[in-house]
Structure formats: C-alpha cells, structure tokens
Amino acid sequence: MRADPCHDSRFTGELAALLATKQSSDDEAAREALFAALSRLERQALIAGAADSTLQKIAEARFLVGILRDSMRPSRIAPLRSLLRLAAEPRRLAEADPV
C-alpha cells in the first residue's frame, strides 16, 4: 500500500477532530453520526492509500464507537411488573378452571 505522509496526517487530523467534537455519549443521533463519519473517513483513507497504521487507528475508533453505539441503545424489554403479571395469569386461569 502506498503511504503518503500528507494523506496520513490529514486523516489522523480528521480522526482527532471527529473524536474531539463528540465527548459525550448521551445523544443517540450524535453516536450514529460519529459512526457514519468514521466509516466514511475509513473508506476515504483506504481509497487514498493511507498507511496501515492510519487505517488501523480509524478502524479501532470506528469499532469502539460502534460498541458504544450498540451498548447505549435503549433495550426494549417489558418492565418486571408486567412480566410478573403475565407469569401469574396462567396460574389464576388454571385455578379458576375446574377440570
């Protein structure tokens, strides 16, 4: 792979700028946008022939942001009270139904 130091420093600078703007993980849209921006930057660096070390830095950042993005998604599970109510329902029906 051809390693152009100018491209490498540009991509490293863009990576640093992207990560510096997103210091908080509270906003889901911001996490999604950061992941998309890192994916674009990785593609651009690959096309431009950036050094392997630069590609690895970008890929690691994208990977970690992806983990953060997925781990911070709100989980869609029912509240415990609802689950307990549903679990008790068949017992009540079985007790009320004379065989």
Side-chain angles (χ1 to χ4, degrees):
M1 190 171 272
R2 58 180 204 270
D4 183 358
C6 293
H7 284 301
D8 289 346
S9 64
R10 184 188 75 150
F11 292 123
T12 304
E14 284 186 44
L15 173 64
L18 281 171
L19 295 177
T21 60
K22 307 293 186 230
Q23 293 298 319
S24 174
S25 63
D26 294 340
D27 184 16
E28 182 179 355
R31 289 190 306 270
E32 293 288 340
L34 178 58
F35 184 80
L38 288 171
S39 295
R40 280 191 303 277
L41 181 63
E42 187 176 19
R43 277 193 305 277
Q44 290 171 356
L46 187 61
I47 291 168
D52 288 340
S53 60
T54 302
L55 291 170
Q56 280 182 317
K57 286 179 193 175
I58 297 169
E60 280 181 13
R62 182 185 49 78
F63 176 73
L64 293 173
V65 167
I67 290 174
L68 176 65
R69 177 193 66 173
D70 291 342
S71 69
M72 297 293 288
R73 284 188 178 149
S75 57
R76 292 178 173 29
I77 58 172
L80 180 59
R81 187 177 306 160
S82 298
L83 294 174
L84 292 174
R85 195 175 321 129
L86 288 173
E89 191 67 29
R91 267 188 260 135
R92 276 189 260 144
L93 291 174
E95 292 170 358
D97 186 23
V99 179

